[in-house]
Amino acid sequence: MATPPSDSSPINVCIIEDHSDFRNTLRAAINAAPSLQCNAAFSNAEDAFEYLNESGAPDIIVLDLGLPGMDGIEAIPKLRELAPETKVLILTVFENKTRVLQALGAGASGYLMKASGIKSIIQGIEDAHNGIAPLSAEIAQMVFATFRAFKPVSHEAEISDREVEVLQKLADGATRIEVADQLHVSRHTIDSHIRNIYRKLQVHNVSGAITKAAAMHII
């Protein structure tokens, strides 16, 4: 059972969900929880914008992504602008990695799947209010796997300016011999730079080095 917050004020929740049956079920479940209340529920983002302009900000906005009119991801920055202190919690059927990362990057405070069930959703709303970013298990695994793929370069292994220059020329399509000629150094020197780049970026070929360097905004 949900535990009321210490100040006895219920957490004010706004729902933006276009499926009326699910919206009504979720609203009833929120209002049945002693720590929560839902005073507003909308089928689209545009009506929610108007409500926020007129009635002020709730504590939590539960937002679907597949909305009519403005898409949920597009709506997040506007919701954050109208209610900067409000936590936006995504609740959707979408588990596409691109949409997950887009939503979190746009400012969502958590990402839950509808299939998680009402009990988990209620807990997620409370967690978001308490500063914990709720993520469904499958979403958390996806996010962590994405970030593990790009290990940061340690301070001791920073890419030098010369190595960046070599990488950029390789990324532009130059061969090692052409890079050596353009930089007026020997092929052996270029090979040495490339070995250092591989070690620092923890990759094993030129394409891997270029891809990782681009992802890390080194080039």
Side-chain angles (χ1 to χ4, degrees), residues 98-117:
T98 299
R99 290 180 71 81
V100 171
L101 297 179
Q102 284 176 338
L104 296 176
S109 296
Y111 198 111
L112 297 178
M113 305 300 297
K114 291 179 180 178
S116 300

Side-chain angles (χ1 to χ4, degrees), residues 30-190:
I30 288 172
N31 285 326
S35 62
L36 309 177
Q37 68 177 14
C38 178
N39 294 325
F42 305 98
S43 63
N44 60 78
E46 291 82 356
D47 288 345
F49 297 156
E50 184 176 344
Y51 170 79
L52 293 176
N53 274 320
E54 295 177 354
S55 303
D59 297 308
I60 303 288
I61 294 174
V62 177
L63 175 67
D64 187 19
L65 293 185
L67 297 172
M70 182 178 286
D71 178 80
I73 291 176
E74 295 175 322
I76 294 172
K78 182 66 174 179
L79 293 171
R80 299 282 295 156
E81 177 186 338
L82 293 172
E85 301 302 318
T86 296
K87 306 288 179 60
V88 178
L89 176 61
I90 303 301
L91 180 59
T92 185
V93 297
F94 293 108
E95 53 182 312
N96 174 276
K97 182 169 75 170
T98 299
R99 290 180 71 81
V100 171
L101 297 179
Q102 284 176 338
L104 296 176
S109 296
Y111 198 111
L112 297 178
M113 305 300 297
K114 291 179 180 178
S116 300
I118 293 296
K119 182 177 180 181
S120 294
I121 294 168
I122 296 298
Q123 183 63 59
I125 293 171
E126 292 186 327
D127 287 345
H129 180 69
N130 292 324
I132 302 170
L135 296 173
S136 294
E138 58 269 41
I139 300 301
Q141 292 173 2
M142 182 188 304
V143 171
F144 294 149
T146 299
F147 283 101
R148 278 199 301 268
F150 295 99
K151 296 180 181 179
V153 178
S154 68
H155 178 73
E156 294 77 13
E158 290 178 350
I159 305 299
S160 70
D161 291 342
R162 191 59 153 179
E163 289 162 353
V164 171
E165 192 174 8
V166 170
L167 260 177
Q168 185 62 65
K169 290 185 179 299
L170 291 171
D172 291 339
T175 66
R176 297 188 186 200
I177 293 175
E178 289 170 339
V179 174
D181 289 343
Q182 291 169 17
L183 298 181
H184 308 292
V185 297
S186 69
R187 166 68 184 273
H188 175 76
T189 299
I190 296 302

